[in-house]
């Protein structure tokens, strides 16, 4: 199914025009000659520029697969994905080129352990040949300071908390001025308190940059709190089951969590996800039996 | 001038810090206890007329120390050090120079791996010492053949570690780098290489140990011919042949020290070149 482009809330002052993702009838089959795993089936989704699009769905339903296809980490079997009207991958070009216009923040964190946070952040502009080392470092340090990380710019990822590392990783993505941030359960292993700090910092970044965000999560409250829309995926093969529109004004803060409006939306999403989770569970049992 | 004295100061401070360091004290204490027990074990027969098995037959540390103080005056002893060290380091260095690129090439290129991994795996189980006779035949000098088996001792370990380490570099690092615009060459230089560094140093540490084992055995086997000989292995062997047991022990402890110096060196280089691992 296809959804109409999303309307930005009225509070949006500097409406962005870049970062529209159009996913049309995308199917992904892993190992078509062997195991033949249908991971994504005829999935369509339109994401507007500067939208925060949250993806939820049962484990193993194909969310990461979809993200990897957008990022160009693997090919699609059929369908087409466009970014701002230009084809990333499609009929004659199943694998999208990887590019700094779509930077990924990974589930387990992928800061390079052998580089300091500042050098990690400076990496993109340097390898792309956009800046020399000194300039890139300078910009990296100033961006880290903006994110409240000036004190740890010269530390290695192993020396800072997971929350700081994850924030630095988002800074490392943003320095490339991407059109789209692709986040794959970035706050999965975090405690509630750290998570809430992460959310505030991500919303702050979003309000400042208006980058399109494609965000996979298991956490429905996180999805509603951050998102403009929440896409509930079906159990594998992934299709869009339900789209929850979150028409809550930005900037948002934590008072929202206790509002009636918020709880209704979470409940609505939970019901849709639960149905799919039950299906996934039963399918899993059948496979075992 | 000022710089030199400052350096001395920091060295002095470091030495002081070391002496007050608990781990260091514990280490010294355990060595002292070991030496004391050894000495008592040897003297037991003299004092109480009871022969302690094993230790009773090994010359006591005091005897070994006396012998050692004589031996250090002999140029031959230092020549043995020099020869063994030279063989170990050359063999080891060549093994690194060939082994690291070879392991990396197998890790990043599946055609290369397909071609060279099978013969490598067939040759690997052959113990380096089994190569001694063959290498004496096909290398023109004994020196070269000792060096060759030394090289082999380190080579396999280095290659296996580099190959395993490079292939275990997390694909997320590669993807992250690629999504930020890294080219294949960037990936190799900035991701695979630093990602493999810890394994390179593990390979080096293990390889260095094997190199010492191999060089000593090779020196004992090849003996002290005119062409080439000596080395700490030969030193032990000839002491044994001459029935000088305390000198055998001097040789053994010398090897222990030599091995310790070599592995400390590797640890130090590893520590310097992997600043991000210092906190572990
Ligand atoms: N490389 C692969 N080869 C075969 N099957 C895969 C591969 N990657 C993922 N899958 C399967 O595809 C399905 C979707 O995986 P994924 O997209 O990772 O799910 P999730 O929604 O949890 O992110 C799962 O059943 C998974 O086992
Ligand atoms: Mg996933």
């Amino acid at each position: 199914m296809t959804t109409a482009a999303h309307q930005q809330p009225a509070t949006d002052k500097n409406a962005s025009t870049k970062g529209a993702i159009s996913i049309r009838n995308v199917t992904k089959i892993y190992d078509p000659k062997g195991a033949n795993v249908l991971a994504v089936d005829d999935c369509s989704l339109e994401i507007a520029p500067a939208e925060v699009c949250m993806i939820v769905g049962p484990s193993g339903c194909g969310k990461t697969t979809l993200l990897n296809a957008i990022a160009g980490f693997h090919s699609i079997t059929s369908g087409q994905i466009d970014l701002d009207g230009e084809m990333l991958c499609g009929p004659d070009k199943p694998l999208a080129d990887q590019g700094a216009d779509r930077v990924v923040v990974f589930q387990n964190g992928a800061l390079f352990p052998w580089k300091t946070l500042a050098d990690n952040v400076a990496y993109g502009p340097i390898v792309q040949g956009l800046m020399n080392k000194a300039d890139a470092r300078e910009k990296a340090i100033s961006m880290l300071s903006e994110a409240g990380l000036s004190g740890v710019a010269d530390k290695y990822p192993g020396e800072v908390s997971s929350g700081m590392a994850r924030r630095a990783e988002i800074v490392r993505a943003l320095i490339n001025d991407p059109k789209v941030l692709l986040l794959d359960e970035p706050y999965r292993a975090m405690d509630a308190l750290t998570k809430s700090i992460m959310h505030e910092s991500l919303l702050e970044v979003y309000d400042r940059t208006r980058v399109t965000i494609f965000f996979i999560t298991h956490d429905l409250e996180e999805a509603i709190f951050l998102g403009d829309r929440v896409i509930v995926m079906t159990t594998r093969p992934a299709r869009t089951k339900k789209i929850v529109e979150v028409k809550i004004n930005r900037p948002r803060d934590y008072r929202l969590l206790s509002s009636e409006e918020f709880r209704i939306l979470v409940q609505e999403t939970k019901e849709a996800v639960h149905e799919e989770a039950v299906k996934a569970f039963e399918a899993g049992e059948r496979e075992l039996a | 001038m000022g710089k030199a004295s400052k350096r001395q100061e920091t060295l002095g401070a470091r030495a002081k810090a070391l002496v007050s360091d608990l781990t260091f004290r514990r280490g010294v204490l355990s060595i002292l206890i070991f030496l004391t027990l050894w000495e008592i074990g040897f003297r037991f027969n003299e004092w109480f007329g009871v022969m302690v098995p094993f230790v009773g037959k090994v010359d006591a540390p005091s005897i070994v120390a006396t012998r050692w103080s004589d031996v250090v005056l002999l140029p031959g002893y230092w020549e043995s050090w020099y020869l063994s060290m030279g063989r170990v380091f050359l063999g080891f260095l060549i093994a690194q120079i060939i082994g690291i690129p070879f392991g990396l090439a197998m890790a990043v290129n599946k055609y290369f791996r397909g071609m060279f991994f099978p013969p490598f795996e067939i040759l690997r189980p052959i113990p380096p010492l089994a190569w001694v006779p063959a290498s004496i035949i096909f290398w023109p000098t004994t020196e070269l053949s000792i060096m060759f088996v030394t090289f082999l001792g380190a080579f396999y370990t280095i290659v296996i570690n580099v190959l395993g380490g490079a292939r275990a570099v997390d694909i997320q690092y590669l993807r992250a780098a690629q999504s930020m615009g890294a080219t294949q060459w960037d990936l190799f230089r900035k991701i695979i290489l630093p990602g493999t560094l810890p394994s390179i140093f593990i390979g080096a540490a293990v390889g260095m140990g094997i190199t010492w084992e191999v060089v000593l055995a090779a020196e004992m086997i090849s003996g002290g011919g005119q062409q080439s000989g000596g080395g700490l292995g030969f030193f032990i062997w000839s002491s044994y042949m001459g029935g000088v047991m305390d000198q055998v022990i001097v040789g053994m402890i010398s090897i222990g020290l030599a091995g310790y110096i070599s592995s400390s060196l590797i640890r130090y280089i590893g520590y310097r070149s992997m600043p991000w691992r210092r906190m572990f």
Side-chain angles (χ1 to χ4, degrees), chain A residues 166 170 185-190 195 198-199 202 215 222:
Chain A
R166 211 43 63 88
I170 287 174
E185 301 189 46
Y187 309 140
R188 181 188 181 132
M190 285 177 189
K195 227 180 194 181
M198 294 299 114
H199 292 161
L202 185 71
F215 191 128
E222 171 174 89

Side-chain angles (χ1 to χ4, degrees), chain A residues 82-229:
Chain A
D82 293 351
L83 175 61
D84 289 337
E86 280 179 40
M87 188 183 85
L88 289 175
C89 53
D92 300 320
K93 186 172 175 293
L95 177 64
D97 294 327
Q98 301 182 358
D101 52 352
R102 291 153 278 144
V103 185
V104 181
V105 176
F106 292 93
Q107 198 162 323
N108 303 315
L111 285 175
F112 307 132
W114 48 85
K115 283 183 187 292
T116 61
L117 297 191
D119 288 333
N120 260 287
V121 174
Y123 185 78
I126 293 173
V127 287
Q128 289 167 62
L130 297 176
M131 288 185 198
N132 66 36
K133 239 181 172 154
D135 291 348
R137 258 189 71 90
E138 197 176 309
K139 174 144 191 226
I141 289 170
S142 93
M143 286 187 71
L144 282 167
S145 315
E146 274 174 48
L149 295 168
S150 55
V152 291
D154 287 319
K155 293 231 183 277
Y156 289 96
E159 296 175 296
V160 302
S161 68
S162 65
M164 282 180 174
R166 211 43 63 88
R167 257 149 71 201
E169 204 172 343
I170 287 174
V171 176
R172 179 175 78 168
L174 289 171
I175 199 172
N176 298 293
D177 194 21
K179 294 175 173 173
V180 185
L181 265 186
L182 301 167
L183 300 113
D184 191 351
E185 301 189 46
Y187 309 140
R188 181 188 181 132
M190 285 177 189
D191 60 277
L193 198 61
T194 314
K195 227 180 194 181
S196 71
I197 295 168
M198 294 299 114
H199 292 161
E200 268 170 6
S201 113
L202 185 71
L203 284 180
E204 190 274 321
V205 162
Y206 172 73
D207 286 331
R208 200 150 35 82
T209 59
R210 291 282 149 167
V211 62
T212 304
I213 293 179
F214 182 97
F215 191 128
I216 298 173
T217 180
H218 267 123
D219 180 339
L220 302 184
E221 302 203 346
E222 171 174 89
I224 303 287
F225 183 66
L226 296 175
D228 293 316
R229 284 190 303 164

